[in-house]
Amino acid sequence: MQEYVDLDGLTRRTRRLEFEDGLNDLQNALVFLLAGLMAALFMSPFGIRLYVRALQENKELTVIGLVGLFALFVVITFGVRRLIMRYRREALWKDLGQIEPLRWQVDRRISVLAVAVWLIMFIAGMFFLSRDPMDLDAGMRLVIASAGVATGLIYFMLGQALELNRYRWLGLAAGLASGLIVIAPVSAAAGWMGFSVIWALGLTISGISALRKIQSKGKQNLR
Amino acid sequence: MTDYSLPTKFDRMIHNPSRLAIMAVLAGCESADFTFLEQETELNKGTLSKGLTALEEAGYIEIKKRFKGKFPNTSASLTAAGRKAFKSYRRQYQAFLKSVGGS
């Protein structure tokens, strides 16, 4: 081993391993899509009608159904994560050795900044709503757009920290695109759907490009 | 005149190149097994083993030995004290590089 130790390089390479195969991106794309579908369903006139009718007919069953739906979402999210880790252990990382990736990959300061961005835009949305209560969709679009900008900020900063170009581009492009929802003349339900489609699409492209890259290099050359 | 000597406050346990490499890899994950550490640090088995033992004795890392199927597997992770010590070392190291005009 050489005497000079590239401190940050070694830490960064280790942190990056979790993102190099693109499987995380595909998992997150699924999460965004499912969350967007659920949010859009509950905010659409059809979803609200369905919910009110279900409440009138059987309150307990409706609550159980909602909790069940949320539980299914959590099970799918964590189930896919477990499958990915198993595939990595048994195939991708078999010759490379095993690691347990960091629980919090995003720097605490960046997370606080992203939450602050979201919160400021959320409060602005609420203020906007209180002045013009009839335009519920405009206020909701501001909340959706702020979530998009905050997510974009997190991906961009993650790309900076890990020196991953695809995350820099994803953060910029998807963050900007979902930020534009604020000026789109659409309903809140359509806005949520747009937000989730933008992120699901961005993450799918990012994930597939990473997967193709490691396939062309061969999994032995993951590093 | 610029003073190029290492500051005495540097943690000597981490400052050793092989132990520093181990700490740097472990700082990027929750835990890593022996094979991964060997490949990433480019240390030979003996040096890696010695480094791990020294860091464990200093309370900077925790070593777990278990079986994966029929094969023994050793993994290491930074303790809270180890993570704190590494952060502090990294800060001092960067300040030192800056003071001597390095990047």
Side-chain angles (χ1 to χ4, degrees):
Chain A
M1 204 197 86
Q2 55 192 18
E3 276 296 291
Y4 166 73
V5 178
D6 180 10
L7 268 190
D8 291 341
L10 277 172
T11 307
R12 190 167 47 239
R13 271 168 60 92
T14 310
R15 279 182 69 188
R16 242 164 68 160
L17 184 66
E18 193 195 359
F19 302 99
E20 275 176 356
D21 53 27
L23 295 175
N24 270 22
D25 300 5
L26 296 177
Q27 182 214 351
N28 288 340
L30 181 71
V31 171
F32 269 107
L33 204 60
L34 287 178
L37 275 174
M38 276 169 66
L41 176 70
F42 288 122
M43 283 180 181
S44 66
F46 167 75
I48 293 169
R49 269 203 307 272
L50 193 74
Y51 176 64
V52 171
R53 199 171 148 193
L55 267 182
Q56 283 168 345
E57 290 196 3
N58 194 330
K59 201 175 173 183
E60 284 87 26
L61 208 65
T62 309
V63 173
I64 292 170
L66 284 176
V67 172
L69 201 62
F70 181 71
L72 186 69
F73 175 71
V74 174
V75 167
I76 291 174
T77 306
F78 285 96
V80 171
R81 171 92 186 145
R82 281 182 78 101
L83 279 177
I84 288 174
M85 284 312 288
R86 195 170 168 178
Y87 174 63
R88 282 174 176 156
R89 273 196 298 271
E90 290 175 7
L92 279 177
W93 296 351
K94 201 177 174 189
D95 303 322
L96 193 69
Q98 305 293 326
I99 68 159
E100 181 66 40
L102 281 179
R103 256 175 241 122
W104 299 104
Q105 285 279 9
V106 182
D107 193 286
R108 200 176 296 159
R109 282 168 302 181
I110 304 304
S111 308
V112 170
L113 184 66
V115 171
V117 166
W118 185 78
L119 212 60
I120 289 166
M121 290 181 78
F122 179 80
I123 292 166
M126 290 298 117
F127 177 71
F128 185 63
L129 269 183
S130 69
R131 289 185 65 183
D132 189 4
M134 291 307 287
D135 200 356
L136 183 71
D137 283 338
M140 280 311 294
R141 282 200 307 269
L142 193 57
V143 173
I144 298 162
S146 58
V149 172
T151 312
L153 181 71
I154 286 177
Y155 270 100
F156 181 79
M157 294 312 288
L158 196 59
Q160 289 288 91
L162 303 179
E163 291 186 359
L164 271 178
N165 268 334
R166 67 174 213 273
Y167 278 0
R168 288 181 181 130
W169 284 112
L170 176 70
L172 278 175
L176 191 69
S178 45
L180 287 175
I181 288 174
V182 74
I183 52 166
V186 293
S187 66
W192 272 118
M193 205 54 231
F195 165 80
S196 55
V197 166
I198 287 167
W199 279 100
L201 194 68
L203 283 161
T204 304
I205 293 168
S206 166
I208 288 174
S209 76
L211 258 179
R212 286 182 62 164
K213 211 169 167 182
I214 67 155
Q215 270 175 350
S216 65
K217 281 201 292 185
K219 69 183 180 200
Q220 295 87 347
N221 299 315
L222 201 58
R223 303 314 251 147
Chain B
M1 201 182 111
T2 313
D3 178 17
Y4 289 104
S5 60
L6 283 175
T8 47
K9 60 184 176 183
F10 263 148
D11 187 335
R12 298 280 152 180
M13 174 54 68
I14 304 179
H15 190 63
N16 168 288
S18 53
R19 293 195 290 262
L20 183 55
I22 295 169
M23 294 288 281
V25 171
L26 289 178
C29 60
E30 293 294 330
S31 69
D33 73 1
F34 197 88
T35 313
F36 185 82
L37 284 167
E38 194 185 353
Q39 292 201 29
E40 288 299 299
T41 59
E42 296 174 19
L43 295 168
N44 63 46
K45 284 188 171 70
T47 315
L48 177 59
S49 199
K50 258 196 222 168
L52 286 172
T53 308
L55 288 167
E56 188 186 27
E57 280 168 3
Y60 286 173
I61 66 165
E62 189 187 358
I63 294 175
K64 277 186 188 155
K65 291 181 184 205
R66 59 189 158 196
F67 275 87
K68 277 197 173 170
K70 290 177 182 172
F71 305 101
N73 181 275
T74 303
S75 66
S77 58
L78 285 184
T79 59
R83 214 166 270 281
K84 198 176 161 191
F86 181 73
K87 263 188 190 169
S88 156
Y89 178 89
R90 192 174 161 271
R91 252 198 316 270
Q92 288 167 5
Y93 186 70
Q94 281 171 338
F96 170 71
L97 284 181
K98 219 173 171 181
S99 71
V100 295
S103 57

